[in-house]
Amino acid sequence: CERAAAVVSGCPPEQLPVLGLLDAWYWFRVTEGEDSPRAAEAIEHLLSAELRPALRQWYQRFGADKIVLFVHGATYPAETAFDMNLPGGSWMDFVAKLGYDAYLLDVRGYGRSTRPPAMSQAPAANPPFATTAEAIQDIAVAVDFIRQRRGVDKINLVGWSWGTSTTAGYTTQHNDKIRKLVLYAPIWLVKNPPPVGGSGAYRSVTKESARSRGIRGIPEARVQEISPDAWFEAWWQANLEADPEGAKQ
């Protein structure tokens, strides 16, 4: 069984012990509904009917305190932030091996979530979308779905960069639903502007600016040791694949 969610959904139940890590290979996709974005609907479709009974049995192997949802930052989707298949494994691989039932959330407009029509127009043609307030709404949908799915009152949250603002914002509003909150690389005092920017509905990031941002602060002599070109190329390609239409712009 391969790691991509669409492929994993077709794995025979007897191979679950090989996968073992359950939802470490699944992520939420926010889809637009009549009333509100509904991340909960989409993830069910990633699981085949044959797989669900076996999956429920495996849930019993995970403690209620070992359920975690990862939320990405303001530029790239959760998949490329937390689950890149690179040497040494991803963050999701790591926590799953520690016995965590792990989930990813793509906020509306990111990764495999619904692509707003505004993203097919010029940035200046529309106001910004996927605000912090809207991202908090998406987190709320995902958290409630996980709690219901697992029959627990609380889960753990991990936010990265802008995700520290959205997860912290959610937690202040729903502290009774969060067991632990982890803020990784929180936004604090910015000395220099990041090498990406823009205005309007969205911003575009070039391959060159992404690379420059990624290696900023690494001594030049150690760039290939810490962030090899091959790893960056794999990561960049994964981002393009998560948004094929955007990749053409």
Side-chain angles (χ1 to χ4, degrees):
C1 295
E2 298 184 30
R3 301 172 80 252
V7 178
V8 172
S9 65
C11 293
E14 62 270 17
Q15 290 194 32
L16 270 176
V18 177
L19 292 173
L21 311 178
L22 299 180
D23 294 309
W25 282 271
Y26 300 97
W27 55 86
F28 284 105
R29 298 177 293 182
V30 178
T31 57
E32 296 292 344
E34 295 181 359
D35 301 319
S36 62
R38 295 174 294 182
E41 283 189 342
I43 195 169
E44 289 292 347
H45 296 299
L46 296 177
L47 305 178
S48 66
E50 296 79 11
L51 185 61
R52 290 173 190 168
L55 195 58
R56 283 194 291 270
Q57 293 178 13
W58 272 81
Y59 280 156
Q60 300 174 7
R61 297 177 178 239
F62 292 84
D65 61 330
K66 288 196 170 185
I67 304 171
V68 60
L69 172 65
F70 289 87
V71 182
H72 59 78
T75 308
Y76 308 105
E79 179 184 355
T80 61
F82 304 112
D83 198 29
M84 280 298 300
N85 187 18
L86 295 175
S90 68
W91 196 345
M92 288 199 81
D93 289 332
F94 179 77
V95 299
K97 289 175 182 177
L98 293 177
Y100 280 83
D101 188 10
Y103 297 79
L104 296 180
L105 168 65
D106 278 338
V107 170
R108 65 188 77 183
Y110 285 82
R112 302 177 191 275
S113 289
T114 298
R115 196 175 201 275
M119 292 186 70
S120 297
Q121 304 174 30
N126 295 281
F129 66 90
T131 63
T132 295
E134 290 171 330
I136 289 174
Q137 293 174 6
D138 294 346
I139 294 171
V141 173
V143 170
D144 285 345
F145 173 75
I146 296 171
R147 291 171 60 245
Q148 181 179 6
R149 190 183 196 202
R150 293 300 316 279
V152 298
D153 295 326
K154 299 182 178 184
I155 69 168
N156 301 298
L157 264 183
V158 175
W160 182 10
S161 190
W162 174 55
T164 65
S165 297
T166 58
T167 55
Y170 172 82
T171 303
T172 59
Q173 298 174 23
H174 304 280
N175 193 50
D176 59 319
K177 298 180 181 180
I178 300 303
R179 182 178 297 274
K180 293 180 180 179
L181 172 64
V182 177
L183 305 180
Y184 176 63
I187 300 172
W188 189 234
L189 300 177
V190 180
K191 296 180 179 179
N192 300 302
V196 293
S199 60
Y202 63 91
R203 58 195 172 104
S204 297
V205 178
T206 66
K207 184 177 182 179
E208 292 72 23
S209 65
R211 182 57 168 163
S212 174
R213 184 182 188 185
I215 62 176
R216 188 172 58 172
I218 301 177
E220 184 176 354
R222 300 192 62 190
V223 168
Q224 293 307 314
E225 172 192 351
I226 297 173
S227 180
D229 289 338
W231 292 12
F232 171 77
E233 291 293 338
W235 172 82
W236 181 254
Q237 186 59 38
N239 281 298
L240 297 182
E241 292 173 356
D243 183 14
E245 184 176 343
K248 300 175 183 178
Q249 294 178 287

